[in-house]
Amino acid sequence: MKPKGLAAFVIAFVAAAPIAALAQGATAPNPPLAPLQEPAKTLPAPYADISPQMQAFIAKPLNPDWNDQWKTGAEARAYADKQAAGVVPTIPGMLSRLHVTMTSTSMGGVHVYVLTPADMPPENKDKVLIHVHGGCYVLFPGESGATEGIMMAGFAHYKVISVDYRMPPEAYFPTALDDAVTVYKEVLKTTKPKDVAFFGTSAGGALTLEMVLRARQDGLPLPGAIAPGTPMSDVTKTGDSFYTNEKVDNVLVSRSGFCHAATLIYAKGHDLSDPLLSPVYGDMHGFPPAILTTGTRDLLLSNTVRVHRKLLRSGVPAILEVFEGESHAQYQFDDTVPETREAFTEIGAFFGQYLGH
């Protein structure tokens, strides 16, 4: 019987592939691949297995500031200060709900917030998590950058040190990384490296990976585990989801939007393919075990997937957590959302599996 429909298409496709390869010859260059032309379509908000609170985030319109094209550090800081003014008043309530205390101090000359949960099991008392906040390297100054650290302390029950790294217009690449590694060096004075983890989201996810690369460059022992959340691992705008999720992700929205503009400010002319800006291009052999988090509508889904795949190919134990329907970093927008508790509880359990061993 002659195959029909989909079966015929698959048979023809598979049969044609080796013939096409042979026709090219061993030395023939690969021709440019034709882009897929996708007509405009309507995407319904997903509802299956998603809490009503997260549904509300997923259904929001596009970030109205998505195409802000800041040119200077001062412009970015003006926006960051305005944004921070809306975040800081929410922090006391979050600290109260999650039973976490926050202390402002400095380590090695770097400003940090020490976040201590009221409930810390004995096995966590000698462990320290170093948090590097997100915000495209220019957003969330001061207390406003500590919210993810508060959630980790509260849900996972670890002591967290949140690094308030310097940002434009006061400082540019690689100051954020310098500050984070300085804090790590200070932590190592009192804590074994196997008892330390790095974590952060977005630019913080990239910094998490960059900290490992820099620690290895500097001859420092590596931490016991890392959790790069939806990392900005390739700021050259390379990756499938930069295109498939453009104007689907309602947070970042576009590969050429505000976050790219902010990164250019931070990089200040530095090569964007440098692994200390695009860590997916770094050597990941010998990296600590890693857990990565993203969502199906995340503009940086491919950034996250590519890091996960590179870690596995480098022989590193790595887990990829993908949340249904979520845009960039929405798993850590609100501590009262069930998916937020899930994300941080899972990361905490991962740290429990590897820290101290």
Side-chain angles (χ1 to χ4, degrees):
M1 181 180 296
K2 186 176 180 180
K4 297 181 180 180
L6 178 60
F9 171 80
V10 171
I11 291 171
F13 182 86
V14 172
I19 295 172
L22 288 171
Q24 287 183 17
T27 60
N30 291 327
L33 298 175
L36 176 65
Q37 300 297 325
E38 181 66 31
K41 57 186 177 183
T42 300
L43 298 178
Y47 292 104
D49 305 315
I50 300 173
S51 71
Q53 299 98 311
M54 184 55 74
Q55 289 173 17
F57 280 118
I58 292 170
K60 282 183 177 294
L62 300 183
N63 175 2
D65 302 323
W66 72 266
N67 202 29
D68 282 359
Q69 296 291 317
W70 308 309
K71 300 297 184 184
T72 68
E75 290 176 359
R77 176 55 63 86
Y79 182 91
D81 288 344
K82 181 180 177 181
Q83 186 182 56
V87 174
V88 171
T90 70
I91 290 177
M94 184 186 302
L95 291 168
S96 176
R97 285 190 298 273
L98 297 178
H99 308 290
V100 174
T101 58
M102 180 167 70
T103 303
S104 174
T105 186
S106 65
M107 298 181 68
V110 177
H111 186 226
V112 301
Y113 294 95
V114 179
L115 308 164
T116 308
D119 177 18
M120 193 187 308
E123 62 269 21
N124 290 356
K125 290 188 181 297
D126 56 352
K127 311 296 193 302
V128 177
L129 312 185
I130 299 177
H131 169 242
V132 274
H133 68 80
C136 309
Y137 296 106
V138 304
L139 303 177
F140 302 111
E143 289 179 67
S144 70
T147 56
E148 182 183 24
I150 295 168
M151 294 180 203
M152 182 67 81
F155 288 125
H157 309 292
Y158 285 96
K159 175 184 175 181
V160 173
I161 298 173
S162 184
V163 183
D164 182 22
Y165 54 82
R166 291 167 291 165
M167 297 188 295
E170 290 80 21
Y172 298 83
F173 174 84
T175 307
L177 178 57
D178 292 343
D179 288 354
V181 173
T182 294
V183 171
Y184 180 45
K185 290 177 179 178
E186 291 298 306
V187 169
L188 288 177
K189 292 177 179 179
T190 57
T191 308
K192 297 176 182 177
K194 67 180 181 179
D195 291 330
V196 180
F198 304 158
F199 76 99
T201 288
S202 192
L207 283 164
T208 294
L209 298 165
E210 293 158 13
M211 287 173 70
V212 179
L213 293 172
R214 171 64 72 78
R216 189 165 59 192
Q217 285 180 12
D218 292 352
L220 298 174
L222 301 186
I226 58 173
T230 177
M232 290 171 56
S233 63
D234 190 344
V235 294
T236 70
K237 301 192 287 189
T238 301
D240 190 51
S241 64
F242 275 125
Y243 299 87
T244 57
N245 280 345
E246 182 154 28
K247 296 190 178 177
V248 173
D249 182 325
N250 61 6
V251 178
L252 296 181
V253 183
S254 170
R255 63 188 178 276
S256 300
F258 74 93
C259 201
H260 185 65
T263 304
L264 293 179
I265 291 170
Y266 171 68
K268 208 171 185 179
H270 195 80
D271 180 5
L272 297 182
S273 65
D274 185 329
L276 297 184
L277 273 172
S278 292
V280 74
Y281 298 117
D283 179 6
M284 295 187 181
H285 289 89
F287 260 47
I291 180 170
L292 301 98
T293 309
T294 183
T296 59
R297 295 192 175 193
D298 188 354
L299 197 72
L300 302 192
L301 172 61
S302 288
N303 268 214
T304 313
V305 167
R306 289 172 63 207
V307 170
H308 177 246
R309 185 54 46 190
K310 184 159 188 174
L311 288 166
L312 292 179
R313 288 169 178 161
S314 300
V316 178
I319 291 176
L320 176 63
E321 299 283 356
V322 184
F323 281 90
E324 170 73 354
E326 292 185 23
S327 291
H328 184 64
Q330 285 180 327
Y331 63 86
Q332 50 100 63
F333 275 15
D334 186 337
D335 65 287
T336 67
V337 174
E339 285 83 355
T340 300
R341 177 183 290 274
E342 278 184 27
F344 287 102
T345 301
E346 289 168 5
I347 296 169
F350 183 86
F351 287 161
Q353 182 180 355
Y354 287 100
L355 293 185
H357 301 296

